[in-house]
């Protein structure tokens, strides 16, 4: 399927090296994921496979990356060809293997659900793939993000409301770092609606773990650099389990 993400592969690869993704976001996500040894993992909206690769390197037995963007998957498959890790990349959810996975990850994919049924649909992809009590870790837009234009600018992004904030309202993500200057429209979902969609899809034990910075991140950039993000992150982490 063609997707607006098709041409963003290089940008996402480079973005992953930005301090907030490398030292804060992925540090926090892997702390929540914990020990992945022997795990079967589905990476939903895997993009170029940044998390897929890292999860495999951290000991996951099997990683399947699912994305609807052929362009993003082309970059992911090139990385797999250059350095084979045994990751499978697919353009449709692995429907023939219900309950095969112990962990599902969905980083920045729920914000691209354009309406509530699509939001439940994405959560259901995770629920169908997981065994009972399997966990889903996902990063939506922070329902309480700071909409001031430059609040997140020091991290290489801007995020602001493109229309009055409400479930499904448009938000603009402006990625502005290095040679990149790209605006992407995503959707705002409130905390209550995200939790309702997850419960409707079959999840419970919903929690919202906080972000944290790695020691290297604090040593390299100083606590003051991170303070605005930690006080009001642009994203949130949700962890939950399949009923
Ligand atoms: C912002 S990118 C994040 C990519 C990757 N998870 C990361 O952290 O860098 C969002 C990805 O979700 C994918 N996506 C959007 N809607 C999707 C859907 N309904 N099913 C699967 N993937 C989807 C896009 O193609 C894109 O690659």
């Amino acid at each position: 399927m063609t997707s607006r993400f098709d041409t963003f592969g290089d940008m996402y690869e480079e973005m992953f090296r930005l301090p907030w993704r490398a030292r804060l976001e992925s540090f926090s996500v892997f702390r929540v994921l914990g020990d992945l040894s022997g795990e079967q993992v589905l990476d939903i909206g895997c993009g170029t496979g940044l998390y897929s690769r890292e999860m495999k390197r951290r000991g996951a037995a099997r990683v399947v990356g699912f994305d609807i963007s052929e362009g993003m998957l082309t970059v992911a498959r090139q990385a797999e060809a250059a350095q084979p890790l045994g990751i499978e990349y697919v353009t449709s959810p692995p429907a023939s293997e219900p309950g095969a996975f112990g962990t599902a990850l969905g980083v920045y994919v729920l914000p691209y659900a354009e309406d509530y049924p699509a939001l439940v649909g994405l959560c259901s992809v995770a629920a169908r793939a997981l065994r009972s009590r399997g966990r889903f870790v996902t990063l939506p837009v922070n329902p309480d993000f700071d909409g001031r234009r430059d609040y997140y600018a020091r991290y290489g992004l801007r995020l602001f409301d493109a229309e009055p904030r409400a479930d499904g309202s448009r938000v603009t993500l402006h990625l502005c770092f290095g040679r990149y200057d790209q605006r992407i429209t995503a959707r705002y979902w409130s905390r209550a609606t995200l939790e309702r969609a997850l419960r409707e899809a079959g999840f419970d034990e919903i929690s919202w773990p906080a972000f944290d910075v790695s020691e290297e991140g604090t040593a390299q950039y100083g606590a003051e650099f991170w303070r605005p993000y930690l006080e009001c992150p642009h994203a949130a982490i949700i962890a939950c389990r399949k009923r």
Side-chain angles (χ1 to χ4, degrees):
M1 181 191 295
T2 57
S3 145
R4 60 196 163 135
F5 282 94
D6 283 347
T7 56
F8 293 167
D10 292 343
M11 180 174 71
Y12 272 85
E13 286 288 300
E14 282 188 42
M15 196 188 355
F16 207 59
R17 292 193 279 274
L18 289 180
W20 68 272
R21 293 211 76 182
R23 301 292 189 212
L24 183 151
E25 174 209 295
S26 57
F27 174 74
S28 305
V29 168
F30 282 110
R31 199 197 44 193
V32 171
L33 288 173
D35 183 9
L36 287 167
S37 312
E39 275 290 294
Q40 312 263 338
V41 186
L42 178 64
D43 186 2
I44 301 168
C46 65
T48 59
L50 294 152
Y51 274 98
S52 302
R53 295 197 287 278
E54 191 53 31
M55 290 192 290
K56 197 71 174 56
R57 289 192 192 106
R58 289 180 186 232
R62 181 183 179 211
V63 176
V64 177
F66 157 53
D67 203 289
I68 53 170
S69 163
E70 282 290 355
M72 291 292 244
L73 288 186
T74 297
V75 177
R77 289 185 179 122
Q78 282 165 353
E80 176 65 24
Q83 248 183 340
L85 292 167
I87 301 167
E88 303 152 59
Y89 290 108
V90 296
T91 46
S92 359
S96 61
E97 300 179 87
F101 297 86
T103 297
L105 177 68
V107 178
Y108 304 145
V109 63
L110 297 189
Y112 299 100
E114 296 197 344
D115 53 28
Y116 183 73
L119 184 65
V120 177
L122 269 167
C123 298
S124 301
V125 168
R128 273 192 296 272
L130 289 169
R131 59 170 157 71
S132 177
R133 308 321 298 161
R135 79 258 172 88
F136 181 34
V137 174
T138 190
L139 275 65
V141 167
N142 174 10
D144 301 315
F145 77 90
D146 193 311
R148 284 175 288 177
R149 290 244 160 183
D150 287 335
Y151 189 80
Y152 304 106
R154 68 168 71 174
Y155 308 109
L157 69 123
R158 291 191 171 84
L159 183 67
F160 46 90
D161 295 288
E163 54 193 10
R165 200 177 285 194
D167 274 322
S169 63
R170 288 175 178 77
V171 294
T172 301
L173 174 67
H174 179 197
L175 298 170
C176 39
F177 62 94
R179 63 198 164 102
Y180 298 106
D181 185 350
Q182 185 69 51
R183 285 177 167 76
I184 302 175
T185 299
R187 301 290 174 145
Y188 173 86
W189 297 105
S190 66
R191 179 178 279 255
T193 298
L194 285 162
E195 293 198 3
R196 181 156 66 95
L198 286 164
R199 288 188 199 284
E200 205 171 314
F203 291 100
D204 61 13
E205 276 187 45
I206 300 171
S207 63
W208 295 71
F211 286 101
D212 205 357
V213 183
S214 66
E215 278 180 20
E216 300 92 313
T218 306
Q220 208 174 343
Y221 298 96
E224 182 50 30
F225 174 77
W226 299 108
R227 189 187 48 73
Y229 195 93
L230 291 172
E231 279 179 9
C232 189
H234 95 292
I237 306 175
I238 306 179
C240 53
R241 288 201 180 268
K242 182 176 172 177
R243 280 197 293 274

